Amino acid sequence: MSLVHGENLSASQVERTVSSWDAERFARLCNAIAWAVAWPTTQAMPAFTERVLVRDNGIDAEWAGEIAPDVMVAGQLLRAGTNVFQFKKREVADESRAGIVSTLASGLKGAIAEVEHRTGKVLATYVLFTNVDL
């Protein structure tokens, strides 16, 4: 099944379709969404870091961007300060839904603290993109 622009889609349809994509294609989708959200505010090209083929054959990627306190931000995904988008694609056919969500949730515990520790900055927002219908 392909996703058609403007078509009414269910979350499970999106999950099934996106889960069939390879990690690079999923990252390109997330990068495009992150870039489209960030561009009107930052007017800067975001730099993404990607690790394809992590433990579970998915992808982990992130974009971190800084927005000055005096900048007005439209939308709900960005705030003044440091913003991080992380992408986590997981294989949904190999495991039960409960197992996938449990593994994803346990992997996210401490994610914000880890990013703050690594960057030395307090996050204004942390946005997770995943192919799993939560």
Side-chain angles (χ1 to χ4, degrees):
M1 175 189 135
S2 62
L3 300 178
V4 178
H5 178 73
E7 183 178 288
N8 189 15
L9 301 169
S10 71
S12 63
Q13 288 173 300
V14 173
E15 178 185 276
R16 278 193 311 275
T17 300
V18 173
S19 293
S20 70
W21 295 356
D22 64 17
E24 290 86 358
R25 185 175 183 189
F26 177 72
R28 286 193 307 265
L29 171 68
C30 295
N31 290 347
I33 294 168
W35 187 84
V37 169
W39 177 256
T41 301
T42 63
Q43 296 289 299
M45 182 66 73
F48 300 95
T49 59
E50 299 170 2
R51 287 185 316 144
V52 178
L53 304 176
V54 292
R55 279 189 322 258
D56 59 4
N57 201 31
I59 182 170
D60 284 355
E62 88 180 30
W63 170 79
E66 189 78 26
I67 299 175
D70 60 334
V71 173
M72 290 299 296
V73 180
Q76 298 180 12
L77 298 180
L78 297 173
R79 299 283 178 266
T82 301
N83 299 268
V84 170
F85 294 162
Q86 285 194 329
F87 320 148
K88 298 198 177 281
K89 180 184 184 295
R90 299 300 183 248
E91 296 301 326
V92 297
D94 299 340
E95 200 178 335
S96 72
R97 171 152 315 278
I100 293 166
V101 172
S102 175
T103 302
L104 185 60
S106 67
L108 290 172
K109 285 183 181 163
I112 293 172
E114 188 275 327
V115 172
E116 289 180 336
H117 176 74
R118 182 168 32 88
T119 63
K121 299 177 181 180
V122 175
L123 300 185
T125 61
Y126 172 88
V127 179
L128 172 68
F129 291 85
T130 185
N131 61 310
V132 179
D133 176 16
L134 301 174

